[in-house]
Amino acid sequence: MGRFSIMTLTDAAAERVREIQASHEDALGIRVGVKKGGCAGMEYTIALAEEAKAGDDLIELDGAKVYVAPEAALFLLGTQMDFEVTTLRTGFVFNNPNQTSACGCGESVELAPVTQEALDAAHRAA
């Protein structure tokens, strides 16, 4: 059975991750996860990854390394991570098919874990 990637990165996201890696001597990349919080129920988390942790999934694109925390995998399967600069906001954006709603301020989301059928389909496609 092949290995599939939990998430994908756009070129803009990969470029920003490489910038972060280059500006922090000890950073291997960044770690992405989810936590309970906010008015919609969950928030994405982003932190420097100074070491690989057991169970992390590693997504790489042209030297950019994103480690996905194992407890977030079922909420992030199929997500595209982007980076955008707008008039009001600069940051990573998650285009997540598992997101069912978001709060009005955009700081938190409601996420449903991926279904067994979607997980099986990802395994078959790998």
Side-chain angles (χ1 to χ4, degrees), residues 58-71:
L58 174 61
I59 290 80
E60 285 189 80
L61 179 62
D62 299 329
K65 295 181 179 181
V66 176
Y67 296 85
V68 178
E71 63 275 7

Side-chain angles (χ1 to χ4, degrees), residues 30-51:
I30 64 170
R31 179 167 285 104
V32 173
V34 294
K35 69 176 185 174
K36 291 184 185 230
C39 50
M42 298 187 93
E43 298 173 337
Y44 295 105
T45 62
I46 300 176
L48 287 177
E50 295 178 345
E51 64 182 353

